[in-house]
């Protein structure tokens, strides 16, 4: 499964053309490849809409993908360990949700589609497969 980070969804809903949004378009067109979104990413994306109609349309698209819950206890413990390992290397990730998402992808072997430098810091630990690679 490919999980999509809020950085890509936000660009997508703004109409920004990036390599990541073009890849997302491709994934949305393909029915044979499973596409997912994390519950907390749904929150991050939908909280930014000011237009109710656009928010409803975005919500419908997000919920048409596989939604995974990343905020449970097991993943929280795993993410805390990941965060501590990063801090020991002198690296800081700004968003706790990014750490939870990366930890979930690492644990479950999912590809992460993103446009966020924090994930590059998380990749140094190994085990995080991202697009772009």
């Amino acid at each position: 499964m490919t999980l999509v980070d809020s950085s890509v969804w936000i660009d997508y809903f703004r109409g920004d053309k990036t390599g990541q949004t073009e890849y997302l378009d491709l994934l949305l067109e393909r029915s044979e490849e499973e596409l997912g979104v994390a519950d907390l990413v749904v929150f991050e994306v939908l909280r930014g809409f000011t237009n109710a109609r656009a928010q409803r349309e975005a919500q419908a698209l997000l919920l048409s993908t596989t939604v995974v819950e990343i905020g449970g206890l097991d993943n929280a413990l795993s993410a805390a360990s990941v965060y501590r390992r990063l801090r020991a290397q002198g690296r800081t990730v700004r968003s706790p949700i990014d750490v939870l998402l990366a930890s979930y992808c690492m644990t479950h072997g999912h590809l992460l589609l993103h446009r966020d430098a924090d994930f590059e810091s998380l990749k140094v630990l190994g085990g995080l497969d991202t697009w772009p690679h």
Side-chain angles (χ1 to χ4, degrees):
M1 179 186 323
T2 299
L3 291 180
V4 183
D5 178 52
S6 59
S7 57
V8 177
W9 283 114
I10 290 167
D11 286 348
Y12 182 82
F13 291 124
R14 285 182 180 157
D16 295 347
K17 293 294 180 195
T18 67
Q20 290 88 340
T21 59
E22 289 177 4
Y23 187 59
L24 177 56
D25 268 330
L26 182 66
L27 292 173
L28 288 166
E29 291 172 6
R30 290 186 192 163
S31 59
E32 70 274 1
E33 190 161 345
E34 191 172 11
L35 182 62
V37 64
D39 55 347
L40 297 177
V41 169
V42 172
F43 160 72
E44 285 185 307
V45 173
L46 295 181
R47 71 182 176 165
F49 280 89
T50 56
N51 178 288
R53 180 177 176 204
Q55 186 271 335
R56 284 191 306 274
E57 291 171 358
Q59 180 175 324
L61 180 57
L62 291 167
L63 299 183
S64 73
T65 69
T66 301
V67 179
V68 298
E69 294 185 10
I70 64 170
L73 180 59
D74 289 341
N75 195 49
L77 294 172
S78 177
S81 175
V82 166
Y83 187 84
R84 285 192 313 274
R85 288 171 40 212
L86 281 173
R87 292 291 296 177
Q89 295 181 8
R91 298 174 185 269
T92 301
V93 174
R94 296 166 291 156
S95 168
I97 293 174
D98 287 352
V99 181
L100 286 163
L101 180 57
S103 175
Y104 187 90
C105 288
M106 292 162 78
T107 301
H108 293 87
H110 297 315
L111 177 71
L112 176 62
L113 175 58
H114 74 92
R115 191 188 56 74
D116 187 328
D118 280 343
F119 293 112
E120 295 307 311
S121 291
L122 286 153
K123 280 177 66 171
V124 302
L125 298 177
L128 180 60
D129 188 16
T130 65
W131 197 102
H133 303 285

